[in-house]
Amino acid sequence: MSTPASDHRQISPGAARPRPRKRAYRGPIVDCDVHHNWSSHQVLHPYLSAPWREFVLGPGRQGNIPLTAAGFFSVPNGNGREDTVPESGEPAGTDLELMRAQLLDPYGIERALLTYGDGLFGISGLTNPYLATDVARAANDWTAERWLAPEPRLFGSILVANQLPLEAATEIRRWAGNSRMAQVIMAGSGLGKPLGHPVYDPIYKAAVESGVAVAIHIGGQGGTQPFSTGGGPVNFYFEYHALLLQPLLTHLVSLIAHGVFEKFPDLRVMLLECGVAWLPGILWRLDADYRSMRREIPWVKRLPSEYFMERCRVSTQPLEQSPRRAQLIQLLEAMNGRDVLCFSSDYPHWDTDDPDYIASRIPSDWWPSVYHANACKFYGWPQDVSASGPREAAHAG
Amino acid sequence: MPVDVGALTDFTEGGFRVVRVDGDEVGILLWAGTVYALRNSCPHQLGPLCEGRIRPLLTASAPGKPSLDTGTPVVSCPWHGWEFDARTGSSLWDARYRVRQVQTRVTRGRVLLDLPAHARRRASA
């Protein structure tokens, strides 16, 4: 008789993570990539504008918002880490109490940036750009009310539907002055162009004028979006995951080549969930190519690596697992890792990096910078955030 | 001891002329009536830099808005296209990264190179 698979579970769904055995790093942590999610699209309905709510609830839609881009891979082992699925059976990342118990409390997370779930990955692939714009607005209101208001350690990302950059800019400005919304977030390119293309300038302009950073997260491809891999669409999630840095690589190069950092001298860009070991190679390549081909992009005034080092930061997860620790450190040193890396867990996804694991992989004298100081500086937060005073209620102006 | 590389009237305005001085190649440029000289060796992979074309500086007032600076001669290495100010040898991306300059002067209509001491020693050997 076969044994039911559930009998073999080592971790119960929804279990609070036990306090780590021995924590190497005990200082404050800013987690730059924590995915919160809705249990279903139903939760967004009250936040949609009346006409779009009527459309979504009308005949044929049954309340469903077509947010998940067609062609997106199903993750073979499940998208969420097994123990992050709440007892209710709702998707991982939907339960604030569980997030507190598994991430915020045991690791002493001082601040965490919420980065959405299928809203992030699906928004730019939603074929109806007007509906997408309203969904993004609704999602931001939902985040502010349901996550930021009850939990002061959480900070929001302004989700935008970049299919309509001017409307996206309006959404960014709606949150201007609210320090609980720390950045704009995009994943896919809603117009099918790399994110340095000037068609997206209104988004960067609004971000800079509102004083918020811009985060670009992997994902969001498939469906109406460009394929996530150069050379053609792949067949397995295994391939997709190994190659998921490709869109971000394209966006980073595009931002530099189009002179976006020259156009917007105060623009700050956070690269999320793309790993890090590939960066030295592309930066070296960009600098070499710039020396040969500067004539083609004369508005780029500095070596590409200089823009990156000064204006970009990159989250640590998923940190490449080099056979020997020293190999990875050598690469990270080549990209000023101590100054440009910002810790991220990617909770609650299956490829989460545990904070203690990261401590075991990077030099100990980098810990204060990577876990905390770099992110605080990037987001314009005081280094001692506990002394930053009361936080205002999180709602759009 | 300065090295005489010819009459000023032998040089054409706006282009390099490469001369060999005891095994060292030097590119000599007449630009706006002034003589400049650079080692004919790109610091990238030692390509013959001064055999590259001299073009006006292609710059930009803003992204997507290219413009020309005709007052700045730029030499592009014929091997990989690395660009340098043809007068000073400074690269366009970092003034500290440069091709070695050779001092020149014009005396009684003759172009003279003031080569470094080691080159002079070789020249006199």
Side-chain angles (χ1 to χ4, degrees), chain A residues 258 291-292 294-295 299 301, chain B residues 58-60 80 82-83 93:
Chain A
H258 278 279
R291 292 180 178 113
S292 291
R294 185 210 61 84
R295 284 170 55 82
W299 43 83
K301 302 295 186 185
Chain B
L58 191 54
T59 182
H80 299 98
W82 284 32
E83 296 174 302
W93 62 89

Side-chain angles (χ1 to χ4, degrees), chain A residues 23-46:
Chain A
R23 297 195 49 209
Y25 174 73
R26 292 176 171 274
I29 294 177
V30 173
D31 189 337
C32 292
D33 189 21
V34 175
H35 292 279
H36 67 311
N37 208 353
W38 38 71
S39 52
S40 78
H41 293 165
Q42 309 290 325
V43 303
L44 282 185
H45 293 167

Side-chain angles (χ1 to χ4, degrees), chain A residues 258-260 262-263 288 290-296 298-303 306, chain B residues 44 55-66 76 80-83 92-93:
Chain A
H258 278 279
V260 176
E262 286 289 337
K263 267 187 272 194
Y290 178 75
R291 292 180 178 113
S292 291
M293 292 177 267
R294 185 210 61 84
R295 284 170 55 82
E296 188 183 17
W299 43 83
V300 178
K301 302 295 186 185
R302 302 161 63 187
L303 287 175
E306 293 178 16
Chain B
H44 177 212
R55 309 288 300 174
L57 173 63
L58 191 54
T59 182
S61 56
K65 308 281 185 192
S76 301
H80 299 98
W82 284 32
E83 296 174 302
L92 295 193
W93 62 89

Side-chain angles (χ1 to χ4, degrees), chain B residues 74-99:
Chain B
V74 174
V75 59
S76 301
C77 179
W79 279 11
H80 299 98
W82 284 32
E83 296 174 302
F84 300 87
D85 185 321
R87 299 165 301 181
T88 65
S90 293
S91 69
L92 295 193
W93 62 89
D94 183 349
R96 295 166 301 180
Y97 191 88
R98 54 195 305 146
V99 187

Side-chain angles (χ1 to χ4, degrees), chain A residues 174-217:
Chain A
R174 193 167 70 93
W175 294 97
N178 189 316
S179 63
R180 295 296 298 284
M181 285 293 200
Q183 62 189 1
V184 176
I185 194 163
M186 299 186 282
S189 47
L191 292 169
K193 301 176 189 304
L195 291 177
H197 192 280
V199 73
Y200 297 113
D201 280 357
I203 293 172
Y204 302 120
K205 186 170 189 289
V208 167
E209 290 176 356
S210 300
V212 293
V214 172
I216 305 176
H217 193 285

Side-chain angles (χ1 to χ4, degrees), chain A residues 261-278:
Chain A
F261 293 114
E262 286 289 337
K263 267 187 272 194
F264 304 105
D266 294 325
L267 178 66
R268 296 165 281 140
V269 173
M270 175 68 78
L271 306 178
L272 291 175
E273 205 176 334
C274 50
V276 296
W278 55 277

Side-chain angles (χ1 to χ4, degrees), chain A residues 16-325:
Chain A
R17 192 185 190 285
R19 194 169 179 83
R21 301 167 299 282
K22 182 180 178 185
R23 297 195 49 209
Y25 174 73
R26 292 176 171 274
I29 294 177
V30 173
D31 189 337
C32 292
D33 189 21
V34 175
H35 292 279
H36 67 311
N37 208 353
W38 38 71
S39 52
S40 78
H41 293 165
Q42 309 290 325
V43 303
L44 282 185
H45 293 167
Y47 299 91
L48 290 170
S49 64
W52 286 118
R53 183 167 58 244
E54 165 57 26
F55 171 75
V56 166
L57 291 171
R61 293 237 58 88
Q62 292 143 344
N64 179 48
I65 302 169
L67 264 173
T68 303
F72 189 75
F73 288 92
S74 119
V75 185
N77 297 332
N79 192 39
R81 205 175 69 193
E82 206 168 331
D83 64 322
T84 65
V85 177
E87 294 284 3
S88 63
E90 292 176 337
T94 56
D95 187 324
L96 175 57
E97 278 307 317
L98 197 55
M99 182 186 289
R100 285 173 173 142
Q102 292 183 323
L103 179 72
L104 302 179
D105 295 341
Y107 292 103
I109 304 289
E110 201 168 59
R111 293 189 176 193
L113 286 119
L114 297 178
T115 51
Y116 288 99
D118 69 341
L120 172 65
F121 302 120
I123 195 74
S124 58
L126 209 162
T127 53
N128 181 333
Y130 312 106
L131 173 60
T133 297
D134 202 56
V135 170
R137 186 195 53 74
N140 293 328
D141 283 341
W142 168 78
T143 295
E145 185 176 313
R146 302 299 295 273
W147 294 83
L148 305 188
E151 178 46 72
R153 288 172 290 186
L154 298 178
F155 285 74
S157 305
I158 304 168
L159 185 67
V160 293
N162 56 18
Q163 296 94 318
L164 295 176
L166 287 171
E167 299 298 328
T170 299
E171 177 62 11
I172 294 165
R173 289 194 170 92
R174 193 167 70 93
W175 294 97
N178 189 316
S179 63
R180 295 296 298 284
M181 285 293 200
Q183 62 189 1
V184 176
I185 194 163
M186 299 186 282
S189 47
L191 292 169
K193 301 176 189 304
L195 291 177
H197 192 280
V199 73
Y200 297 113
D201 280 357
I203 293 172
Y204 302 120
K205 186 170 189 289
V208 167
E209 290 176 356
S210 300
V212 293
V214 172
I216 305 176
H217 193 285
I218 59 97
Q221 291 76 33
T224 61
Q225 299 307 296
F227 295 120
S228 61
T229 49
V234 295
N235 299 105
F236 306 104
Y237 180 82
F238 169 81
E239 298 170 278
Y240 168 82
H241 190 261
L243 298 171
L244 51 69
L245 61 90
Q246 284 193 2
L248 239 69
L249 197 160
T250 303
H251 296 320
L252 173 62
V253 173
S254 175
L255 288 169
I256 291 169
H258 278 279
V260 176
F261 293 114
E262 286 289 337
K263 267 187 272 194
F264 304 105
D266 294 325
L267 178 66
R268 296 165 281 140
V269 173
M270 175 68 78
L271 306 178
L272 291 175
E273 205 176 334
C274 50
V276 296
W278 55 277
L279 274 159
I282 189 62
L283 293 176
W284 294 333
R285 193 177 187 93
L286 284 170
D287 282 358
D289 284 351
Y290 178 75
R291 292 180 178 113
S292 291
M293 292 177 267
R294 185 210 61 84
R295 284 170 55 82
E296 188 183 17
I297 47 171
W299 43 83
V300 178
K301 302 295 186 185
R302 302 161 63 187
L303 287 175
S305 64
E306 293 178 16
Y307 291 111
F308 174 82
M309 298 298 180
E310 183 180 293
R311 312 285 286 282
C312 298
R313 294 295 175 264
V314 58
S315 67
T316 50
Q317 182 274 343
L319 194 68
E320 283 80 359
Q321 301 174 32
S322 58
R324 291 202 301 276
R325 179 174 176 267

